[in-house]
Amino acid sequence: MNGLFVTIEGPDGAGKTSVLNELYPRLQLNAKRAIVRTREPGGVRISEKIREIILDPNYEEMDERTEALLYAAARRQHLVEVVLPALSQGKIVICDRFVDSSMAYQGAGRRIGMEGIASINDFATEKTTPDFTLYLDVDSDTGLHRIQQNRQFQPDRLEIEGLEFHQRVRHAYLKLAEENPLRIHKVDARMSLQDVVDASYSAIVEAYPTYFEE
Ligand code: TYD
């Protein structure tokens, strides 16, 4: 495996999608290797099906461990079909969410605990770890406010959770960032979109100068 595995993480309302929509073309333009953008849960048909089940607000009865296992199953399929083949071909993979999301949302948000989530994800990924993780940090009030403002569709099963759930998610992300300072790079996502994109771009390119043009 000689590619570069980059993940992007953040609580709901951090603006991950808007940032990626600007960041990815810039990375693509300057990448010295083939680069692919993908997302979790999904990216391949089995995982997209699982995603539909997980995010459907009609499934009120879903048990939290079922939820965690479904995310891990979707992750496994996506890893095997998309991420690992690309990495073994030496490509740069930019993946929207990975195991850190399950640690934050299921481990802390749903209060399952980090150990259980780590162990099912170790099984699912055979301990594949990103080389670099960009964490877009936003406080939960701002995050929830942004979701409410930008809402075009029905909120998904995770977004309808209240402030305390989202606070637990954010605190878990901050703790993960603190515990993994070499892998996780935190960017303040309350800045303007352009500033967040610039900071994110510099962080990646400075960490991996051999993969990108200056
Ligand atoms: P998504 O449409 O990717 O939202 P976002 O644009 O915020 O990334 O929806 C994914 C939702 O699933 C999001 O609320 C986070 C949640 N999630 C988990 O709870 N656990 C996980 O392991 C993953 C990958 C996502």
Side-chain angles (χ1 to χ4, degrees), residues 15-202:
K16 218 163 32 61
T17 308
S18 315
V19 171
L20 260 178
N21 286 344
E22 298 217 4
L23 175 64
Y24 184 73
R26 241 169 110 174
L27 291 171
Q28 204 175 21
L29 202 65
N30 295 307
K32 287 187 190 164
R33 304 189 173 198
I35 179 167
V36 291
R37 173 180 175 178
T38 187
R39 70 161 187 182
E40 277 212 356
V44 293
R45 51 189 201 136
I46 293 174
S47 306
E48 290 288 351
K49 276 277 175 218
I50 297 174
R51 176 191 173 91
E52 274 173 37
I53 298 172
I54 303 176
L55 297 181
D56 187 340
N58 290 320
Y59 294 129
E60 295 156 357
E61 72 275 32
M62 189 179 296
D63 173 77
E64 58 264 26
R65 287 179 187 238
T66 306
E67 179 181 289
L69 288 163
L70 287 174
Y71 275 116
R75 176 163 301 129
R76 170 72 189 172
Q77 191 65 31
H78 174 255
L79 185 75
V80 168
E81 279 196 67
V82 179
V83 179
L84 294 179
L87 292 176
S88 70
Q89 291 161 21
K91 294 181 181 169
I92 302 167
V93 177
I94 308 291
C95 184
D96 187 346
R97 298 195 181 280
F98 196 60
V99 175
D100 295 318
S101 284
S102 286
M103 299 292 271
Y105 282 82
Q106 281 66 54
R110 298 288 191 218
R111 293 199 170 103
I112 297 175
M114 298 300 168
E115 268 180 38
I117 300 301
S119 94
I120 60 169
N121 278 282
D122 282 351
F123 175 74
T125 66
E126 296 173 89
K127 303 200 177 175
T128 306
T129 308
D131 296 300
F132 189 84
T133 298
L134 199 64
Y135 164 54
L136 302 185
D137 182 52
V138 72
D139 62 275
S140 310
D141 281 321
T142 308
L144 285 180
H145 187 70
R146 284 184 180 167
I147 304 175
Q148 277 150 13
Q149 295 232 309
N150 300 338
R151 182 159 290 155
Q152 293 158 352
F153 309 102
Q154 200 189 12
D156 70 39
R157 226 172 40 77
L158 282 293
E159 286 173 347
I160 54 181
E161 288 295 332
L163 182 63
E164 284 181 13
F165 175 89
H166 290 282
Q167 281 169 339
R168 288 198 295 277
V169 169
R170 189 214 179 192
H171 286 133
Y173 269 129
L174 288 172
K175 190 149 179 276
L176 285 167
E178 225 177 86
E179 289 168 355
N180 299 275
L182 295 181
R183 173 174 67 86
I184 303 182
H185 184 95
K186 185 174 104 179
V187 171
D188 182 353
R190 287 168 314 171
M191 300 187 294
S192 71
L193 177 62
Q194 206 46 57
D195 287 349
V196 178
V197 173
D198 288 347
S200 302
Y201 179 79
S202 308

